[in-house]
Amino acid sequence: MLNSFSILSILALGASIGASPHDTSCLCTYGDVCWPDAATFAQLESQVSQPLIYPNPTASACYPAANPSGNCSEVIQNWSDGNWRSSMPDSMEAPNYESFVFKNGTISACYLNTSLGIPCEQGNVPVIGVDARTPEDIQAAVKFAVQYNLKLVVQNTGHDCLGRSAARAAFVVWTHNMKDITYNATFVPQGAPSNETYQAVTLGAGVQWHEAYDAVNQYGRMMVGGTSLGGSVGAAGGWLQGGGHSPLAPTYGLGVDNAIEITVVTSTGEHLTINDYQYSDLFWALRGGGGGTFGVITSVTYHTYESLPVAFYGFQANVTNATAMKELIAGMLQFRTNFSDDGWGGYGALSNTSMYFYNIAPNMSTEAANASTQPWTDYASSLQSQGVSSVAQIYSFPSWYEWYTYLFNTSGQDGENLMMTSRLLSRDTVASQAKDVAEILFDCQATFNMVAGGKVSQIDPESAGVKPAWRNAVMEAICAISWEEGASALHDVAPNDGAYFNEASLFEIDWQYTFFGSHYSQLKGIKDKYDPYRLFVVAEGVGSEEWNKELTCRL
């Protein structure tokens, strides 16, 4: 286990030994001779606005020898709270990404379950970094990382299902405290004609969705964004760079379709303002090309929309046998196209004996909501004789914000060891292969995000770097596994449908196509152009095929 004292001691030792020039084919990590000494890091600290940070694993407070000043009771109480976890530069949404597995199968980790008798170790948590509060902080950090060829990761909230914001023995740029929010009813993108105005909001890199929603609601506005318990997901980072889905997407498009302008620091240290008028290729790539791949985002400017009432449709079913359950799932898949085309978006989950989902639609009357959903409600009711007991209800909320705060204004969601795989199910797939897909979703007891179709399908697939499969999708299906600490195939049915990069598997078959489709070669060219130093390397990110499994040495 490393704390700030032990790190500084070892850095000082490195200074007395002297560092040899680094091998540019491999990135420099903590413990290598090339790692900067204490005096060198002190020079960096003098260039940034905050003291350098020395992350410790989330559970380290429960190991007094490793973290004598920590509060284990606080850790236990808040373990699953996404906002608490995201407030620390060492904590990940899924704790398994704080662990590191060596080639021989041994694990370096810091488990909450101290009864396992395993010592707390640094694992996959970076050892030192910059608490960025300004673009200048990020520029200084990036230039330092390039100068010393450091293994660098970018972290905002730690909500990353591929573990891209953590790396063993790495240097971290932590953007979580960049919280500026500016609403502008007459925003003009740089380089655009003066009459091109938007009612827009600009969010700093560290703003989380609950903060963004609170802010725009004060102006009578709403916006396309992510939903999670507590709203802890970052609004201007990996969510956008992976595509950015939302229950409002069937009405207003994906997150990438609602970004107007982005500011970003590249590996050359430049701080660029990018949009459709300047650096348009990088603007295209950052909207779906993958987080931590092209640069460090410092802010994003988004469309906002008039705050509207929303119709809410909730459905729940209990089922007594597998045959009926699979038929219900297949029916849900086939009806999904109609739901999304009518503007409904939402989330759901199923087990071997139950299903629930809910949908919302902005500015839809109760009468229209009834007419839109009645065919599905009737279909589900028709399965009663086969063992399906279902109930459906429609409500109205005065505004999207009131619906959001009613459902999501609570803590939870994080702190569970988790790996997942996903598929964007196309119109063709749900129409012609619903029974085959239903078998798989039944077996894995899937969750499903109804965040495509409608407006998403109407937008030019080439308008942003996000995988074109989004434009033909009607929903995203997710199969996930979780496990206790210390515990030692949708692809076959829908190989051409692709997956959502932010909710995917590290073991995806043909990940370049699955995540990026026909856009991969173009994204690779933009990556090479704006990251000439190959600084931004993440798991299954554009260009990562050029690196070893540990993403530390070029092949």
Side-chain angles (χ1 to χ4, degrees):
M1 178 64 199
L2 299 172
N3 56 36
S4 59
F5 300 104
S6 61
I7 289 175
L8 287 174
S9 298
I10 296 174
L11 291 176
L13 176 62
S16 66
I17 295 173
S20 62
H22 57 66
D23 177 1
T24 55
S25 66
C26 290
L27 298 170
C28 186
T29 58
Y30 173 74
D32 294 339
V33 177
C34 56
W35 189 256
D37 58 30
T40 304
F41 275 111
Q43 291 176 2
L44 171 63
E45 189 168 68
S46 71
Q47 299 170 20
V48 295
S49 64
Q50 303 295 315
L52 297 183
I53 53 176
Y54 300 88
N56 287 324
T58 311
S60 62
C62 297
Y63 296 78
N67 189 355
S69 63
N71 183 343
C72 186
S73 297
E74 179 186 3
V75 172
I76 294 171
Q77 179 180 351
N78 294 290
W79 187 255
S80 64
D81 187 331
N83 281 300
W84 178 79
R85 297 184 75 91
S86 66
S87 68
M88 300 174 291
D90 36 48
S91 188
M92 300 290 291
E93 171 189 19
N96 48 293
Y97 290 115
E98 296 178 26
S99 303
F100 184 84
V101 181
F102 294 94
K103 290 181 179 179
N104 65 4
T106 60
I107 299 175
S108 175
C110 187
Y111 295 129
L112 179 64
N113 184 359
T114 58
S115 67
L116 294 172
I118 300 173
C120 178
E121 296 181 342
Q122 192 76 8
N124 209 41
V125 177
V127 297
I128 192 170
V130 170
D131 176 4
R133 306 296 176 98
T134 66
E136 291 76 19
D137 286 344
I138 296 176
Q139 288 176 291
V142 164
K143 291 175 181 177
F144 184 85
V146 169
Q147 181 179 357
Y148 294 99
N149 199 38
L150 302 183
K151 172 63 179 176
L152 176 135
V153 293
V154 182
Q155 181 176 346
N156 176 7
T157 66
H159 285 85
D160 195 315
C161 296
L162 291 173
R164 293 166 293 181
S165 51
R168 180 171 175 79
F171 175 72
V172 62
V173 175
W174 190 42
T175 64
H176 178 72
N177 289 310
M178 299 180 71
K179 297 287 192 181
D180 289 345
I181 301 177
T182 305
Y183 176 75
N184 187 342
T186 57
F187 179 83
V188 179
Q190 281 194 20
S194 58
N195 63 348
E196 184 179 323
T197 63
Y198 301 90
Q199 296 186 58
V201 63
T202 300
L203 308 177
V207 174
Q208 293 163 274
W209 280 119
H210 72 94
E211 297 164 329
Y213 295 147
D214 289 346
V216 299
N217 183 64
Q218 295 177 18
Y219 296 94
R221 310 293 290 178
M222 63 182 186
M223 62 187 298
V224 173
T227 51
S228 62
L229 295 178
S232 57
V233 173
W239 178 85
L240 172 71
Q241 292 171 81
H245 70 55
S246 167
L248 291 176
T251 301
Y252 299 111
L254 296 168
V256 296
D257 305 321
N258 283 274
I260 301 169
E261 188 166 273
I262 301 171
T263 58
V264 58
V265 174
T266 66
S267 67
T268 60
E270 297 174 278
H271 186 218
L272 306 178
T273 300
I274 64 176
N275 52 44
D276 282 329
Y277 296 93
Q278 49 191 36
Y279 307 103
S280 58
D281 55 348
L282 183 57
F283 183 59
W284 180 88
L286 281 175
R287 292 178 295 136
T293 301
F294 300 93
V296 185
I297 285 181
T298 60
S299 73
V300 179
T301 302
Y302 288 106
H303 286 273
T304 67
Y305 299 93
E306 177 188 358
S307 181
L308 297 171
V310 297
F312 174 90
Y313 175 79
F315 173 85
Q316 184 171 351
N318 294 311
V319 187
T320 60
N321 65 85
T323 300
M325 188 68 213
K326 292 174 185 177
E327 183 167 345
L328 183 69
I329 298 169
M332 180 271 294
L333 293 171
Q334 293 177 316
F335 272 90
R336 189 60 230 165
T337 300
N338 295 334
F339 270 87
S340 61
D341 286 348
D342 286 347
W344 293 100
Y347 304 98
L350 58 90
S351 71
N352 294 155
T353 59
S354 65
M355 175 194 292
Y356 83 88
F357 66 80
Y358 59 84
N359 284 274
I360 62 167
N363 210 30
M364 181 181 287
S365 68
T366 300
E367 293 75 19
N370 274 309
S372 175
T373 59
Q374 197 63 49
W376 161 255
T377 303
D378 291 343
Y379 170 79
S381 297
S382 73
L383 300 178
Q384 184 173 357
S385 62
Q386 300 180 39
V388 177
S389 174
S390 63
V391 60
Q393 292 181 305
I394 290 177
Y395 301 96
S396 179
F397 285 85
S399 70
W400 181 90
Y401 182 76
E402 291 196 34
W403 166 80
Y404 170 78
T405 54
Y406 178 78
L407 261 69
F408 295 99
N409 190 24
T410 184
S411 62
Q413 180 168 326
D414 295 357
E416 182 178 44
N417 295 313
L418 185 70
M419 294 192 73
M420 61 177 63
T421 184
S422 68
R423 221 73 191 163
L424 298 172
L425 300 178
S426 69
R427 291 170 180 263
D428 293 340
T429 295
V430 299
S432 63
Q433 295 180 275
K435 290 185 177 180
D436 294 331
V437 174
E439 289 276 353
I440 297 172
L441 300 188
F442 174 85
D443 288 340
C444 79
Q445 302 187 60
T447 60
F448 44 97
N449 298 328
M450 298 165 284
V451 290
K455 182 68 173 180
V456 176
S457 299
Q458 299 164 18
I459 295 173
D460 182 358
E462 301 305 317
S463 64
V466 70
K467 181 179 173 64
W470 267 109
R471 305 307 178 184
N472 195 39
V474 293
M475 64 182 293
E476 177 199 17
I478 299 174
C479 294
I481 59 170
S482 61
W483 62 94
E484 296 295 327
E485 290 182 326
S488 298
L490 278 168
H491 176 272
D492 295 331
V493 175
N496 299 315
D497 285 0
Y500 179 40
F501 191 30
N502 285 345
E503 293 166 343
S505 168
L506 281 170
F507 308 101
E508 184 63 59
I509 300 171
D510 190 12
W511 60 264
Q512 289 97 330
Y513 179 81
T514 300
F515 296 147
F516 306 107
S518 59
H519 287 169
Y520 188 79
S521 60
Q522 187 175 352
L523 289 167
K524 181 62 167 59
I526 297 170
K527 161 75 171 175
D528 293 343
K529 176 181 176 181
Y530 288 98
D531 185 17
Y533 295 111
R534 307 297 194 272
L535 179 65
F536 303 107
V537 187
V538 296
E540 296 184 346
V542 173
S544 64
E545 69 274 13
E546 299 174 348
W547 295 78
N548 63 358
K549 183 179 179 181
E550 294 75 25
L551 302 177
T552 54
C553 294
R554 298 196 71 183
L555 299 175

